[in-house]
Amino acid sequence: MSNNANDLTPLLENIETEARKSIGRGKVADYIPALARVPRDRFGMAVCAVDGTEFVTGDADSCFSIQSISKVFTLELALKMVGSAALWKRVGREPSGNAFNSLVQLESEQGLPRNPFINAGALVVTDAITARTVSPVLALLGSVRRYAARQDIYIDEEVARSEAEHGHRNAAIAHLLKAQGNLNAKVEDVLSVYYRQCAIAMSCRDVARAFLPLAAGGRQPRTGEKLMTPLRAKRINSLLLTCGLYDGVGNFAFRVGIPAKSGVGGGIAAVIPGKYAICVWSPELDELGNSLAGTRALELFARKTRLSIF
Ligand code: GLU
């Protein structure tokens, strides 16, 4: 961390103080009991710059459950494994305008999920990986570790078990997809991989580092490794902008103006192409499932730095 005019630390500390004022107004995700046990007053934020500098505040090095943020990693892996033409035949690229775990839209649209970030679309993406390799979880973990440039990223098996025990809605979505002919592997296998991908534990610093390739045209500046093409990075960023925050995506674009992906663990990962990857975490959620203080922090960051993609 540098101690100069570009040091974002004082700004982040200031944002934390402001954003923490939202804590107490939201609700932690209690439909996964293991997530309901996380202290609701946690707040962390990490900003990684494409030049390798990093700035953090609060609980930026505490691990949390990345939940739906994992869908970005599975999408990238599935595109690599099965190719974009095959994958985009099975899942769309439009905002859903519906709850992330809705069954109604899937039924009325004959098993073609609107996008890879709602649960139905994510299950199709996970299926593409599950049907392709004997150890999908290891393949995914290996890829996340490369993205984050950190070898000890792990799965919180208690969170995965807790979701599996209460995951009736996701099971219903998976069965519906199977009935509609859009799931190749066994329903139980896809669900087991899905719950474990969602239960990956990472800190804000890890997630921001793992999203850096999306800010840096596909390259991981920390290792110099080229992880995806600039075109793929651009396309994933577009999907984050249009589909990354469920049916709250329009309001988020209005307030923040930065492509991002949220998870019900309270994390939000965001990308300012050419500049920064950011991750903020605070467990209390708004009524659409997005971190309340996290959204506020990103709004303040965009406003105070005058950075957004618009
Ligand atoms: N594992 C969660 C679920 O399927 C992920 C949802 C999210 O993070 O938005 O319900």
Side-chain angles (χ1 to χ4, degrees), residues 50-106:
V50 295
D51 68 4
T53 45
E54 298 181 349
F55 309 95
V56 297
T57 187
D59 302 306
D61 288 305
S62 306
C63 282
F64 63 92
S65 192
I66 68 168
Q67 293 296 318
S68 275
I69 295 174
S70 68
K71 294 170 183 172
V72 183
F73 301 123
T74 46
L75 172 64
E76 195 280 329
L77 185 62
L79 285 168
K80 212 168 256 161
M81 278 184 172
V82 304
S84 49
L87 193 73
W88 295 126
K89 276 192 193 121
R90 299 180 56 193
V91 58
R93 299 190 292 257
E94 295 295 342
S96 73
N98 268 278
F100 65 92
N101 52 10
S102 166
L103 279 145
V104 177
Q105 194 171 54
L106 188 63

Side-chain angles (χ1 to χ4, degrees), residues 31-32 35 65-71 100-101 117 119 123 163 169-170 194-195 197-199 246 261-266 285 288-290:
Y31 74 101
I32 303 174
L35 291 186
S65 192
I66 68 168
Q67 293 296 318
S68 275
I69 295 174
S70 68
K71 294 170 183 172
F100 65 92
N101 52 10
F117 298 149
N119 286 11
L123 286 163
E163 183 167 11
R169 188 167 268 277
N170 283 323
Y194 176 77
Y195 295 141
Q197 81 177 52
C198 289
Y246 312 121
K261 181 75 202 84
S262 64
V264 294
L285 310 176
L288 300 177
N290 300 314

Side-chain angles (χ1 to χ4, degrees), residues 1-13:
M1 237 174 280
S2 56
N3 199 10
N4 58 34
N6 296 324
D7 185 357
L8 297 178
T9 314
L11 173 71
L12 295 189
E13 288 169 354

Side-chain angles (χ1 to χ4, degrees), residues 19-226:
R20 274 186 171 281
K21 292 180 185 159
S22 314
I23 295 178
R25 295 192 204 139
K27 211 170 155 286
V28 293
D30 52 8
Y31 74 101
I32 303 174
L35 291 186
R37 293 196 275 275
V38 180
R40 46 179 67 229
D41 62 345
R42 308 298 296 275
F43 179 97
M45 187 167 184
V47 177
C48 294
V50 295
D51 68 4
T53 45
E54 298 181 349
F55 309 95
V56 297
T57 187
D59 302 306
D61 288 305
S62 306
C63 282
F64 63 92
S65 192
I66 68 168
Q67 293 296 318
S68 275
I69 295 174
S70 68
K71 294 170 183 172
V72 183
F73 301 123
T74 46
L75 172 64
E76 195 280 329
L77 185 62
L79 285 168
K80 212 168 256 161
M81 278 184 172
V82 304
S84 49
L87 193 73
W88 295 126
K89 276 192 193 121
R90 299 180 56 193
V91 58
R93 299 190 292 257
E94 295 295 342
S96 73
N98 268 278
F100 65 92
N101 52 10
S102 166
L103 279 145
V104 177
Q105 194 171 54
L106 188 63
E107 170 71 343
S108 66
E109 297 185 359
Q110 287 90 41
L112 188 74
R114 278 284 175 103
N115 68 64
F117 298 149
I118 52 170
N119 286 11
L123 286 163
V124 167
V125 171
T126 299
D127 175 63
I129 297 168
T130 308
R132 192 77 175 197
T133 159
V134 279
S135 41
V137 174
L138 280 185
L140 175 62
L141 211 45
S143 157
V144 173
R145 286 172 175 164
R146 270 175 79 203
Y147 269 79
R150 177 172 173 178
Q151 285 314 306
D152 56 355
I153 286 169
Y154 66 97
I155 291 170
D156 184 332
E157 297 292 351
E158 191 202 335
V159 172
R161 249 192 324 272
S162 178
E163 183 167 11
E165 278 163 17
H166 297 83
H168 307 298
R169 188 167 268 277
N170 283 323
I173 295 173
H175 279 287
L176 186 54
L177 283 165
K178 189 75 173 174
Q180 289 162 322
N182 200 1
L183 213 68
N184 296 323
K186 283 204 236 154
V187 166
E188 308 75 62
D189 293 350
V190 177
L191 286 171
S192 152
V193 177
Y194 176 77
Y195 295 141
R196 296 183 78 208
Q197 81 177 52
C198 289
I200 293 175
M202 292 168 85
S203 67
C204 289
R205 193 192 295 268
D206 296 331
V207 173
R209 284 180 180 176
F211 271 66
L212 254 187
L214 290 169
R219 214 174 47 85
Q220 173 50 275
R222 302 185 62 79
T223 57
E225 200 178 354
K226 201 168 177 331

